[in-house]
């Protein structure tokens, strides 16, 4: 039985058995239209995508009778290409990886994780950041401070203290004690036990704040005269530009 006009429910949940469907299936994925076969969608039986089209379906249809999946349609074409021909995408890797995780297509997930982009992010960068105490919390704290100081300003700044070793952490605390500023407004990162340097961590901070949509830059923080330490050894000023 094909998906014809006389069998097109208007945005209703499908209650019949998918075994009665035509082998040709029309899909609406986040507003993008696709035509494929049941066998393609069910190629990997353990995947969430295969489960969508097995047994009693839990999918809804759009006004034209196409099965609707509420996911970004732009990247589904790469998922479909992989299912059809085992072609691993070379574009939009990060986004396709998210979709592969959602649809739980294990072979594609593993192959994408071997790509330089995902390998570098998951194995190298994230493993490093996992060793930096409270990294994610400190990123959110930076954003909170910057937003609080943004009233009627084009830019707001956040002072960040970055230390790699326990020794430097102690020196940083001594430096903080001699700084003429609100110490609660200084966000401290480190120490950590991993190869990447302070400059590597600074790049990560910028990357992750920018990934949230903010425009930022950073530079060494120059303290007032009479400061007992070279402030640029530990302190950096991150500038948030609002307009």
């Amino acid at each position: 039985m094909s998906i014809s006009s006389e069998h097109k429910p208007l945005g209703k949940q499908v209650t019949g058995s998918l075994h009665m469907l035509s082998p040709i299936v029309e899909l609406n994925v986040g507003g993008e239209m696709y035509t494929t076969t049941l066998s393609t969608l069910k190629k990997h039986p353990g995947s969430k995508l295969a489960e969508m089209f097995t047994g009693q379906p839990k999918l809804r249809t759009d006004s034209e009778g196409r099965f609707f999946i509420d996911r970004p349609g732009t990247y589904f074409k790469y998922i479909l290409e992989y299912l059809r021909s085992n072609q691993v995408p070379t574009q939009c890797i990060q986004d396709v990886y998210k979709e592969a995780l959602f649809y739980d297509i294990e072979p594609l997930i593993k192959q994408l994780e071997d790509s330089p982009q995902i390998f570098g992010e998951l194995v190298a960068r994230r493993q490093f950041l996992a060793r930096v105490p409270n990294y994610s919390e400190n990123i959110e704290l930076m954003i909170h401070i910057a937003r609080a100081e943004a009233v009627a300003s084009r830019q707001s700044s956040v002072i960040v203290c970055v230390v790699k070793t326990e020794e430097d952490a102690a020196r940083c605390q001594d430096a903080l004690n001699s700084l003429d500023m609100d110490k609660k407004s200084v966000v401290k990162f480190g120490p950590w036990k991993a190869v990447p340097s302070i400059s590597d961590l600074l790049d990560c901070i910028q990357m992750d704040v920018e990934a949230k949509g903010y425009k930022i830059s950073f530079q060494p923080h120059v303290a007032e005269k009479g400061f007992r330490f070279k402030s640029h050894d530990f302190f950096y000023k991150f500038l948030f530009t609002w307009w």
Side-chain angles (χ1 to χ4, degrees):
M1 180 177 68
S2 62
I3 304 177
S4 61
S5 58
E6 62 187 61
H7 296 290
K8 292 176 181 176
L10 299 177
K12 297 180 181 179
Q13 186 165 324
V14 179
T15 57
S17 172
L18 280 165
H19 294 298
M20 301 298 293
L21 285 177
S22 163
I24 307 301
V25 180
E26 292 184 346
L27 301 173
N28 177 344
V29 185
E32 298 283 338
M33 311 308 165
Y34 295 94
T35 302
T36 186
T37 65
L38 273 178
S39 60
T40 295
L41 296 171
K42 297 166 66 175
K43 184 174 182 179
H44 297 284
S47 70
K48 183 176 180 179
L49 186 61
E51 290 178 1
M52 290 179 181
F53 295 91
T54 301
Q56 292 294 326
K58 298 179 181 179
L59 293 171
R60 293 182 179 274
T61 57
D62 64 13
S63 60
E64 297 298 320
R66 293 173 292 232
F67 289 105
F68 179 72
I69 302 176
D70 194 12
R71 294 294 295 179
T74 303
Y75 310 115
F76 189 74
K77 64 181 179 182
Y78 300 109
I79 300 292
L80 209 51
E81 285 178 5
Y82 177 77
L83 295 175
R84 287 168 172 164
S85 60
N86 291 323
Q87 179 178 339
V88 179
T90 57
Q91 303 177 51
C92 308
I93 299 297
Q94 298 281 357
D95 294 303
V96 176
Y97 179 67
K98 293 177 184 177
E99 296 310 296
L101 289 172
F102 173 79
Y103 294 115
D104 196 20
I105 304 173
E106 192 65 30
L108 178 57
I109 292 171
K110 289 180 178 179
Q111 290 184 70
L112 288 173
E113 286 179 349
D114 283 337
S115 69
Q117 297 95 321
I118 303 299
F119 179 87
E121 176 66 19
L122 294 181
V123 178
R125 200 176 84 92
R126 287 194 191 178
Q127 288 297 316
F128 158 52
L129 295 178
R131 301 184 184 187
V132 180
N134 304 313
Y135 177 80
S136 297
E137 294 85 347
N138 284 339
I139 292 291
E140 295 301 326
L141 179 57
M142 285 180 62
I143 292 172
H144 175 77
I145 293 171
R147 291 175 68 93
E149 296 183 357
V151 179
S153 299
R154 184 173 187 181
Q155 290 184 320
S156 53
S157 62
V158 179
I159 303 301
V160 169
C161 175
V162 183
V163 291
K164 183 174 181 180
T165 67
E166 294 286 354
E167 180 183 6
D168 283 347
R171 294 177 61 204
C172 176
Q173 189 57 50
D174 287 341
L176 270 175
N177 292 335
S178 65
L179 271 177
D180 184 20
M181 66 168 63
D182 181 4
K183 298 175 182 59
K184 293 182 180 179
S185 67
V186 178
V187 182
K188 292 179 284 185
F189 287 85
W192 64 87
K193 294 181 180 179
V195 173
S197 65
I198 286 177
S199 64
D200 293 324
L201 182 63
L202 291 168
D203 287 340
C204 287
I205 294 171
Q206 183 172 11
M207 288 171 60
D208 290 328
V209 174
E210 288 181 339
K212 295 178 180 291
Y214 296 91
K215 182 179 179 181
I216 66 166
S217 60
F218 67 89
Q219 61 191 34
H221 175 61
V222 180
E224 303 293 332
K225 292 182 179 179
F227 188 57
R228 290 188 298 162
F229 299 92
K230 294 180 180 179
S231 60
H232 57 74
D233 286 345
F234 308 114
F235 296 97
Y236 298 84
K237 178 185 289 187
F238 278 79
L239 291 173
F240 287 70
T241 301
W242 303 104
W243 49 274

